Amino acid sequence: LHHFENVFQGEGTFYRPIIGLTYMFDYFLYALDPSGYHITNILWQVLAAFLVYLLIRIIFKSFILGAVSSLLFLIHPIQTEAVTYISGRADLIATSFLLLYLVFFVLDLKKTKQTDFLTKEFVLANISLFLAFLSKEIAFTSLPLLGLIFYIVRSQREEKPLRLNALYPYLIGFIALLFLYFKLRSNALGDWAYATETLPFGERMLTTVTVLAEYFRILLFPLGLHMERTVQVVDSLLNIRLAFSSIILGIIIALAIKHSKRSSYVFFGTIWFLITIFPFLNIIPLNATMAEHWLYVPSIGFFFLVAYIINEVYRKAQKRILKVTLVSVFSLIIATFGMLTIKQNAYWKDDITFYLRTLKYSPGSLRCIGNLATMYTKEGKHDEAIALFEKGIESNPKEYQLY
């Protein structure tokens, strides 16, 4: 406990004291036994999945939509990076508090009377929001998500429609808590630091098109998942990958726009995905071009759309055999995702397995080359270590740490 104050000092460019507190609690319980830290991450993932169910159930009054969305969110292999990677718990915790904030907001909106200002839901919502701010910066998307949910709930009200002023207390609360967060962060870390080595804006945006297409690919077909993703930079409009990705995204966007006009469900899932993926599009330079854990919150919108499509097909199927077939196919998909998640976790069983897996897909990752070589050195495999160090130095002679 004598290190308690250090948690609020921040580290590097991130100010996430809640995450530090959870590590302190884990250390108190498990010392340096990693299994305990993994258990904590799994519990946060289960909580986040339950809150996904609860939020959708409250907004749309549908058990099926909530349950299917939550199940996909819970078991999909794309979540492995956020859940199995102990440091990935920032995504789990911030998302849980963000969802809790939105749940209290909806409960407040759905009250019959809208006269009270400081309702218990309002107070609990803002406490949750501040905890989300102190967990990870993805919580900043809470305000546009608030507007999205307000629009959906307002469109559902046939009698006594919601007035826009119902949002004002939450807007004031968001601004006040954001100011407090930046004040605390500034005191701990100073000015905000941005990535210094980055691509020109045009190349970043062209590359982002291909990254978005890849995001949809791994959500639909979660194969070849790994850390340290190496993305080929797109520096020309004539790039074939850019053309193919643009066609795929164009079709997805056209379908989303067409059906969003007819369905609030499609609109909700689409806008949720766009709002929460936006911070990771490298408009403001980030420390990477692509990362699987960046899909943690956006995937909620994607899984909701999948749940809606499944529910609509099931509802419109007139023959029993069609409904049985649909349920069977969905069960097979869930079982497949579960097996893929188990298999993906096996790649994290030890350091050498992890780095070998990553280098299979990103052979130029100097960080993985150096780390794997270090692990070989510790195990007395000096020939393998020297070969890796030489490989890294050959590809980047200026990387002094490899020497």
Side-chain angles (χ1 to χ4, degrees):
L1 290 179
H2 61 282
H3 293 297
F4 181 82
E5 291 184 2
N6 295 338
V7 171
F8 292 89
Q9 296 304 311
E11 181 179 358
T13 59
F14 300 124
Y15 185 66
R16 302 170 180 175
I18 297 298
I19 309 306
L21 289 175
T22 66
Y23 289 144
M24 287 181 61
F25 183 72
D26 278 353
Y27 183 79
F28 176 76
L29 293 178
Y30 314 114
L32 297 179
D33 181 4
S35 60
Y37 295 76
H38 287 298
I39 290 172
T40 299
N41 277 24
I42 292 171
L43 291 176
W44 279 105
Q45 167 67 354
V46 172
L47 175 61
F50 171 73
L51 291 170
V52 168
Y53 161 77
L54 191 61
L55 179 65
I56 293 172
R57 178 72 185 272
I58 294 172
I59 295 174
F60 295 100
K61 300 177 182 178
S62 171
F63 170 79
I64 295 297
L65 287 179
V68 173
S69 302
S70 177
L71 182 59
L72 288 169
F73 177 81
L74 179 67
I75 206 169
H76 197 285
I78 196 66
Q79 313 297 27
T80 304
E81 187 172 295
V83 180
T84 307
Y85 185 35
I86 293 176
S87 295
R89 73 170 52 171
D91 289 296
L92 314 178
I93 297 174
T95 302
S96 296
F97 285 129
L98 173 60
L99 290 169
L100 198 59
Y101 168 68
L102 297 174
V103 165
F104 285 128
F105 171 67
V106 178
L107 290 174
D108 201 7
L109 280 186
K110 286 183 174 284
K111 277 188 169 183
T112 308
K113 296 181 180 180
Q114 296 288 328
T115 54
D116 295 335
F117 177 74
L118 286 176
T119 63
K120 64 180 180 181
E121 290 83 4
F122 175 80
V123 173
L124 292 172
N126 281 279
I127 291 173
S128 302
L129 177 62
F130 192 53
L131 293 174
F133 282 166
L134 296 177
S135 300
K136 193 174 181 180
E137 297 74 21
I138 187 61
F140 298 161
T141 61
S142 54
L143 187 59
L145 289 176
L146 208 70
L148 170 64
I149 291 174
F150 178 82
Y151 172 81
I152 297 296
V153 173
R154 188 181 188 182
S155 66
Q156 295 171 344
R157 295 279 287 262
E158 296 179 359
E159 298 180 0
K160 197 176 180 181
L162 287 170
R163 295 181 179 180
L164 194 59
N165 59 14
L167 270 178
Y168 294 164
Y170 285 88
L171 177 60
I172 295 170
F174 177 90
I175 294 173
L177 292 176
L178 190 64
F179 175 81
L180 178 58
Y181 164 82
F182 277 112
K183 181 65 176 176
L184 292 173
R185 186 195 178 284
S186 177
N187 290 340
L189 301 176
D191 296 333
W192 198 282
Y194 297 98
T196 53
E197 297 183 9
T198 182
L199 297 170
F201 179 78
E203 291 184 10
R204 291 205 311 273
M205 294 303 96
L206 292 178
T207 304
T208 293
V209 174
T210 63
V211 168
L212 278 172
E214 177 64 6
Y215 278 147
F216 282 113
R217 199 276 300 173
I218 59 179
L219 282 169
L220 288 169
F221 307 103
L223 301 173
L225 302 179
H226 61 279
M227 290 275 284
E228 288 285 311
R229 283 186 166 267
T230 302
V231 179
Q232 184 179 346
V233 176
V234 178
D235 57 3
S236 170
L237 291 172
L238 301 179
N239 185 283
I240 295 177
R241 288 192 312 111
L242 175 64
F244 181 74
S245 299
S246 299
I247 292 171
I248 298 298
L249 290 178
I251 294 172
I252 294 173
I253 292 170
L255 290 172
I257 292 174
K258 176 182 177 182
H259 292 284
S260 290
K261 293 178 179 178
R262 302 176 183 176
S263 169
S264 61
Y265 298 90
V266 177
F267 180 80
F268 175 81
T270 302
I271 299 302
W272 180 290
F273 182 87
L274 292 176
I275 288 172
T276 52
I277 198 66
F278 182 80
F280 304 112
L281 296 184
N282 262 287
I283 294 173
I284 296 175
L286 302 173
N287 59 0
T289 305
M290 178 182 180
E292 291 167 13
H293 70 275
W294 288 349
L295 280 175
Y296 190 74
V297 182
S299 69
I300 296 172
F302 179 84
F303 295 143
F304 176 81
L305 287 173
V306 173
Y308 170 72
I309 293 170
I310 292 172
N311 187 52
E312 284 298 288
V313 173
Y314 183 86
R315 188 174 60 85
K316 293 179 180 179
Q318 296 180 350
K319 295 183 179 181
R320 177 178 172 80
I321 185 64
L322 293 177
K323 292 188 175 183
V324 172
T325 301
L326 180 63
V327 172
S328 300
V329 171
F330 177 70
S331 299
L332 179 61
I333 292 172
I334 291 297
T336 302
F337 281 170
M339 289 187 290
L340 287 174
T341 298
I342 292 172
K343 184 178 180 181
Q344 189 66 22
N345 273 271
Y347 298 130
W348 293 71
K349 66 179 181 179
D350 58 60
D351 293 337
I352 291 179
T353 303
F354 172 78
Y355 290 125
L356 285 172
R357 164 73 174 183
T358 305
L359 287 171
K360 175 183 176 181
Y361 291 95
S362 298
S365 172
L366 294 178
R367 179 162 60 173
C368 287
I369 289 173
N371 288 344
L372 179 58
T374 301
M375 295 308 303
Y376 279 150
T377 301
K378 290 180 178 179
E379 294 197 359
K381 299 178 179 180
H382 300 296
D383 292 339
E384 291 93 332
I386 291 171
L388 277 171
F389 280 128
E390 289 178 343
K391 176 184 176 181
I393 292 170
E394 181 181 353
S395 63
N396 191 346
K398 295 181 180 180
E399 187 65 33
Y400 68 92
Q401 292 180 335
L402 295 174
Y403 291 92

